[in-house]
Amino acid sequence: MKYPWIDEFLLSMPGATKDFKEEWQWTRYLIGNKMFAAVCKDEKGEDYIVTIKLEPSDGEFIRNEYEDVTPGYYMNKIHWNSINLEGELPDALMKELIVKSYKLVLGGLSKKMQKELITF
């Protein structure tokens, strides 16, 4: 995997937790019980894509710019995008997209829940 830091980075988001859905072979990253990212395993049990949520215009733009970004695997293809973990997406851009996904999902939670989850 080209991004060995991805798990640590995903969990560095304030209030982030993770679980593993064995039936899907996904490690899900959650904020307030809502998924903002998933690292999916291939048939060999190796991590091969990360799926994140983006605004539709951001997702379309990034898919047009990088062949390693495709519509979300088993997800709503307008809002979710999958990124090849062996691809050529620059680290800084991968981190930027993860933060965008996190903020998008966090913004969809109630203000009360946001305050409960994000304590500084």
Side-chain angles (χ1 to χ4, degrees), residues 3 5 41 47 49 54 67 72 86 90 95 97 100 117:
Y3 310 98
W5 47 262
K41 296 188 177 299
D47 295 342
I49 60 170
L54 296 172
E67 65 182 41
E86 294 295 333
K95 289 178 179 179
L97 296 175
K100 282 185 175 193
L117 292 168

Side-chain angles (χ1 to χ4, degrees), residues 24-83:
W24 301 344
Q25 292 296 296
W26 287 12
T27 301
R28 299 183 316 158
Y29 296 84
L30 312 161
I31 180 71
N33 217 22
K34 298 276 187 184
M35 188 175 80
F36 70 93
V39 174
C40 309
K41 296 188 177 299
D42 63 15
E43 60 280 346
K44 297 176 189 172
E46 301 289 324
D47 295 342
Y48 79 105
I49 60 170
V50 61
T51 298
I52 58 173
K53 188 172 191 177
L54 296 172
E55 291 289 348
S57 59
D58 289 340
E60 183 178 352
F61 176 79
I62 204 74
R63 287 192 304 266
N64 287 331
E65 293 294 311
Y66 293 91
E67 65 182 41
D68 294 315
V69 183
T70 58
Y73 182 69
Y74 283 119
M75 301 293 285
N76 177 309
K77 308 224 180 298
I78 295 171
H79 297 281
W80 291 89
N81 301 270
S82 293
I83 303 167

